[in-house]
Every structure is written in structure tokens, then in C-alpha cells.
Amino acid sequence: MYRTRRLRKTENIRRLVRETKLSVDDLIYPLFIEEGENIEAEIVSMPGIKRFSLDRVSKELDEVVALHIPAVLLFGVPSKKDEEGSETWNDKGIIQETIRFIKKNYPNLYIITDVCFCEYTSHGHCGIILDNDVDNDATLVNIAKQSISHVKAGADMIAPSGMMDGTIAMIREALDNKGFMNIPIMAYSVKYASAYYGPFRDAVDSAPSFGDRRTYQMDAANRDEAMRKATFDDAEGADILMVKPALSYLDIIRDLKNNFDRPIACYNVSGEYAMIKAAGEKGWINEEKVMMESLRSMKRAGAAIIITYFAKDVAKILLNR
Ligand code: PBG
Ligand code: ZN
């Protein structure tokens, strides 16, 4: 009889045959930076995660660097919003100032910026509104402006999250024309219209004031469409393809891994984080083990990179091994 249990006998043999290993090298830590002073605000539905003003964020960044987390993903919370989200391309805006601050004080930390408008628009949608919907092509023009502004401030990589068609081609051309041909783009290629984003929208005040995002984010029922969307981003020059959320979409991560010769990233989103934290706090699950198991499943599915609010928690566990 072939006995599969032979290779499970002890931890040492299990280590030898283990197929998937989580590493600190895989992790990107999202950071929320709010315009203003003296802000260190707990996000109620995301225990352990805070919004910081620039003058208070150093301790957090010290920790990220000490834990060897390679990169942060920046989200800005501006003090003023308008119809277009024009603060996003203000060279003195909150994200631009944050990039300069990090580059100056933490020169080895890799900076990725979220490129979108929902935290900056008065209506909370991811672009310019025309006839009660986001106007794709008008928004593209502003996406290019925002991207250039981030890169001029020193961003190492940009990650457009708005799901407008033609985003990657637009940004690639804009960056190349300005001499930024070496700045990579991480495409939110397959981003679903998901209820798992709830805690994030509370955190950065970006919930749409009318309607929802289903005309630009993908229908959660669709798998073939994910391939179609990733195919376009790939052809337009995306350097990394991302799937978001992660845990309910592991099949999509694997599809992309099998079909594209690009590093695949996934976004372990706020709702996924909140569920594990909440059940852990109640003592209903072993928080640490469930966290490790769910992140490992994303790697097993094919993600090379995991964007996660758990990054510091995971890093602490891995470094203490
Ligand atoms: C929107 C955006 C979302 C997230 C980050 N940027 C989703 C949304 O509000 O539709 C969600 C991240 C998370 O839930 O952790 N551009
Ligand atoms: Zn958005």
C-alpha cells in the first residue's frame, strides 16, 4: 500500500516536504495617512490598524522597517474633498508629502501608492461623475496626473485601484513620456465589487454617497471575465497583476498564476482582516493559526505577493521562529 502518512510523521519530515512557505519577503503593509496633526486614530472595525498624521507615523514605520517588511502601500485621507478629487494630483498633497517624508527618513523602504479618487471625492466614487456614473475616459486623464505627481514625489511603484478601462495603458504612456520608464505598475486587474471592503471605507471615509461601484468593479460571480480583464492589463504593460479580495477568490488567483507570466499579487482586504480579528477576540478561533492558514492559502493559490493588514503580526511570528 502506498502510505501518504509516512511523510507526515514528524515536524522535520513535514518541513522537508512542505510545498508552500510564507515569508516576510511576500508582504506589503497598507498605511493610512491623514492630513493634519497629532492624529493616531484607532479604526474600530480593524483592531490594531490606525490612521496616522505624518508627525505621528514614525513609530509605525520604525516597526515596519525593523520587521523587514519590504514595502508599504499608501492611502491618503485628505482634509478637503471636491467633485474631481483634485487633491490627488496636488504636488503638496498628503500622499506626496508622505512619500517625501518616508524617502528622507526611511530610504530603504519601498513605497507603493494607491492611485484612486474615492477618498478624495465629495461623492466617494472612484472618478469623475457624469450622468450618475463614473466617466471612464475623463477619469483616465486625472489618473495620469495623479500617477505623475506620486512618482515625481518619489513613489517606487504605483497601484491604480479604480478599475477604469485603459488605466494601465494610460499610466504607462504618461510615465514613459516623463522619463519614468523604470517605474512599475501593479494593476488591480481583478477587483470585485465586494462587501469585504466595508471596514476600509469606514477607515478612510470613502463609501459612495449614492449608488455603488458595480459599474466599474467586477461582478463577484464571474471567472471568465477575470481572465479577460487580466489579459487587457497584461497587454497594456502591467508589471504585477493583482486579485482583490483574496480569500473568497483563490480560484481567480490560481487562474492568473496559470495563465500569465507576471508576478501575481492579492489583497487580503479589510473585511477578511476584521473577521479573523473579531472571532479571535471572542475566543472562537485561534487568531494566529487562522491568520497563518489563510495567508498560506493565498500563497498556495499562486500569489507571490500579499497585501495585508496582518503584515506586522505575520512578520513577528516568522522572525521569532
Ligand atoms: C477603492 C479601494 C477599495 C479598497 C482600497 N481602495 C475598495 C472600495 O472601496 O471599493 C479596499 C481595501 C480593503 O478593504 O482593505 N479604490
Ligand atoms: Zn477608489
Side-chain angles (χ1 to χ4, degrees):
M1 196 191 339
Y2 179 66
R3 294 181 185 274
T4 58
R5 293 180 57 190
R6 282 177 208 135
L7 299 182
R8 299 183 197 134
K9 191 89 184 148
T10 67
E11 179 58 12
N12 279 345
I13 184 59
R14 290 192 296 269
R15 281 171 64 201
L16 283 168
V17 300
R18 190 159 288 146
E19 298 172 35
T20 307
K21 281 167 189 152
L22 254 188
S23 156
V24 178
D25 299 343
D26 310 328
L27 307 175
I28 297 174
Y29 186 55
L31 261 187
F32 302 117
I33 310 292
E34 181 168 353
E35 206 165 356
E37 275 161 31
N38 217 17
I39 302 166
E40 194 171 333
E42 298 267 1
I43 300 162
V44 177
S45 50
M46 300 172 75
I49 305 295
K50 293 174 178 170
R51 287 195 319 266
F52 294 95
S53 51
L54 257 192
D55 58 340
R56 294 283 287 269
V57 77
S58 291
K59 204 162 64 150
E60 179 82 342
L61 287 166
D62 289 344
E63 219 183 321
V64 168
V65 169
L67 290 167
H68 296 290
I69 294 168
V72 288
L73 174 61
L74 302 180
F75 292 94
V77 183
S79 55
K80 44 180 189 293
K81 306 187 186 222
D82 62 23
E83 281 284 308
E84 291 200 314
S86 62
E87 268 299 294
T88 56
W89 63 85
N90 175 357
D91 289 339
K92 298 208 163 70
I94 179 63
I95 284 299
Q96 290 80 354
E97 296 290 0
T98 303
I99 296 166
R100 281 188 286 267
F101 175 85
I102 297 177
K103 275 292 154 206
K104 179 158 172 261
N105 298 293
Y106 304 87
N108 290 326
L109 191 57
Y110 195 83
I111 303 177
I112 308 169
T113 58
D114 181 72
V115 169
C116 201
F117 300 93
C118 41
E119 301 112 82
Y120 298 81
T121 48
S122 41
H123 43 74
H125 277 287
C126 302
I128 293 179
I129 299 294
L130 183 72
D131 296 333
N132 271 318
D133 195 3
V134 178
D135 185 80
N136 195 90
D137 298 14
T139 300
L140 286 183
V141 176
N142 291 348
I143 288 175
K145 283 195 275 187
Q146 181 181 168
S147 302
I148 298 285
S149 180
H150 288 183
V151 172
K152 271 196 323 199
D156 295 301
M157 180 191 282
I158 52 175
S161 66
M163 286 290 280
M164 296 304 130
D165 288 319
T167 295
I168 304 304
M170 185 72 171
I171 295 177
R172 189 68 272 159
E173 200 193 328
L175 291 180
D176 290 356
N177 283 340
K178 296 273 185 203
F180 297 122
M181 49 283 281
N182 290 321
I183 298 291
I185 305 170
M186 176 159 64
Y188 281 69
S189 290
V190 189
K191 179 176 180 181
Y192 287 95
S194 168
Y196 284 99
Y197 305 147
F200 173 92
R201 292 181 188 173
D202 295 340
V204 299
D205 183 30
S206 66
S209 62
F210 66 91
D212 53 43
R213 302 206 207 287
R214 285 184 295 177
T215 65
Y216 42 105
Q217 297 179 350
M218 261 183 52
D219 190 319
N222 292 357
R223 186 171 175 182
D224 295 341
E225 188 188 357
M227 290 294 296
R228 216 143 67 218
K229 174 64 168 61
T231 300
F232 280 112
D233 286 354
D234 184 45
E236 289 177 25
D239 297 279
I240 296 173
L241 304 176
M242 191 211 299
V243 175
K244 176 183 180 178
L247 205 49
S248 285
Y249 302 89
L250 297 177
D251 54 335
I252 311 299
I253 295 174
R254 175 47 60 178
D255 281 348
L256 262 57
K257 171 72 180 161
N258 286 348
N259 287 285
F260 294 94
D261 183 22
R262 292 280 190 276
I264 307 301
C266 67
Y267 199 140
N268 174 222
V269 301
S270 58
E272 300 171 46
Y273 178 81
M275 290 193 302
I276 292 178
K277 283 284 172 187
E281 272 178 16
K282 274 189 173 285
W284 290 354
I285 59 171
N286 180 321
E287 179 183 318
E288 187 176 308
K289 286 189 171 155
V290 172
M291 165 183 82
M292 294 302 277
E293 185 175 333
S294 70
L295 292 183
R296 210 182 293 115
S297 76
M298 295 162 202
K299 263 215 108 170
R300 194 191 62 232
I305 298 167
I306 304 173
I307 302 162
T308 180
Y309 304 101
F310 286 120
K312 288 194 304 171
D313 298 347
V314 173
K316 280 174 202 157
I317 292 170
L318 294 176
L319 294 175
N320 286 332
R321 251 182 208 157

